[in-house]
Amino acid sequence: KAGVTQTPRYLIKTRGQQVTLSCSPISGHRSVSWYQQTPGQGLQFLFEYFSETQRNKGNFPGRFSGRQFSNSRSEMNVSTLELGDSALYLCASSLHGDSFSGNTIYFGEGSWLTVV
Amino acid sequence: QQQVKQSPQSLIVQKGGISIINCAYENTAFDYFPWYQQFPGKGPALLIAIRPDVSEKKEGRFTISFNKSAKQFSLHIMDSQPGDSATYFCAATGAGGTSYGKLTFGQGTILTVHP
């Protein structure tokens, strides 16, 4: 069973540009979450999608957005990039995105974004 | 109230020793507590998880101890091996609502196991 797949793995963007990152969840998983990982702030939750609907959102500015498609694949977009957006962006998937069923959240290997 | 506090920040142990990492939380709505292991250049991988209705869970060399009244939980790695050298994160989440898909992570512990 293939894991969570993220593309691209590495990218360099210029301040002010925008970027789109892609995520393919584990087959059958309908919940997709996005996280930002930085040395200073650690792992921080961006948002979660389930059946094409955003159900939860973290404390990030509106420049960070996402969407989910009918096949559960997801994209996140960051507009007007700032130097501080340089980070590892992680996608995670699970069956339901809810701890009630104790279902495991699986992470991809991430997309390394460098803003120069 | 959403924080998970993790200690120590870094830990050095000798091969064969016991590694202990501690976490504390405040939000009593948390009901699922996983531990993740992350190697450089990789995403976090689930090691072991526990719910508050049990005080201990063991999987191989990894054990979670959970103290509900103190709102603390810890990871014990027995017979630590150089291959265990990685960053370990504790996390917590709850059911539904503002917890959908959201893990609240500790700041991480960099474990180094010397041969």
Side-chain angles (χ1 to χ4, degrees), chain A residues 11-81:
Chain A
L11 66 167
I12 300 174
K13 290 288 187 178
T14 302
R15 192 171 46 183
Q17 287 185 316
Q18 73 166 10
V19 66
T20 299
L21 308 177
S22 181
C23 172
S24 293
I26 293 172
S27 177
H29 285 190
R30 296 168 66 189
S31 170
V32 175
S33 299
W34 289 89
Y35 291 79
Q36 181 194 65
Q37 186 174 21
T38 60
Q41 298 299 315
L43 283 148
Q44 293 191 294
F45 172 77
L46 281 156
F47 31 66
E48 187 255 8
Y49 287 86
F50 183 86
S51 293
E52 303 178 68
T53 300
Q54 185 183 90
R55 292 193 302 185
N56 201 2
K57 189 178 187 302
N59 296 321
F60 279 82
R63 300 186 297 107
F64 292 82
S65 62
R67 60 178 176 168
Q68 187 181 33
F69 302 96
S70 58
N71 60 0
S72 293
R73 193 176 67 83
S74 177
E75 290 181 346
M76 70 161 282
N77 184 78
V78 187
S79 63
T80 319
L81 283 166

Side-chain angles (χ1 to χ4, degrees), chain A residues 9 33 35 37 40-43 45 48 55-56 88 90 97-105 107-109 112, chain B residues 31-32 36 38 41-46 51 89 93-107:
Chain A
R9 289 296 318 280
S33 299
Y35 291 79
Q37 186 174 21
Q41 298 299 315
L43 283 148
F45 172 77
E48 187 255 8
R55 292 193 302 185
N56 201 2
L88 176 65
L90 291 160
D98 189 325
S99 73
F100 179 75
S101 58
N103 70 101
T104 302
I105 295 178
F107 284 84
E109 297 203 333
W112 288 94
Chain B
D31 65 356
Y32 182 67
Y36 284 84
Q38 186 176 29
K42 301 291 187 180
L46 179 72
R51 288 196 172 277
F89 293 94
T93 188
T98 58
S99 290
Y100 281 130
K102 179 181 179 181
L103 289 165
T104 299
F105 283 91
Q107 284 299 101

Side-chain angles (χ1 to χ4, degrees), chain B residues 11-97:
Chain B
L11 180 61
I12 299 174
V13 300
Q14 295 297 316
K15 179 182 175 181
I18 301 174
S19 303
I20 302 175
I21 305 170
N22 301 298
C23 285
Y25 65 98
E26 296 180 353
N27 188 348
T28 54
F30 287 152
D31 65 356
Y32 182 67
F33 302 87
W35 284 86
Y36 284 84
Q37 178 190 57
Q38 186 176 29
F39 292 105
K42 301 291 187 180
L46 179 72
L47 262 182
I48 186 172
I50 198 168
R51 288 196 172 277
D53 53 350
V54 297
S55 60
E56 187 175 282
K57 182 175 181 180
K58 183 177 180 180
E59 289 185 2
R61 297 185 294 111
F62 301 92
T63 300
I64 300 179
S65 297
F66 191 89
N67 186 328
K68 187 175 180 179
S69 60
K71 291 186 284 186
Q72 295 176 347
F73 57 111
S74 60
L75 175 69
H76 296 233
I77 305 174
M78 312 300 288
D79 186 27
S80 298
Q81 300 296 313
D84 296 332
S85 297
T87 301
Y88 292 79
F89 293 94
C90 62
T93 188

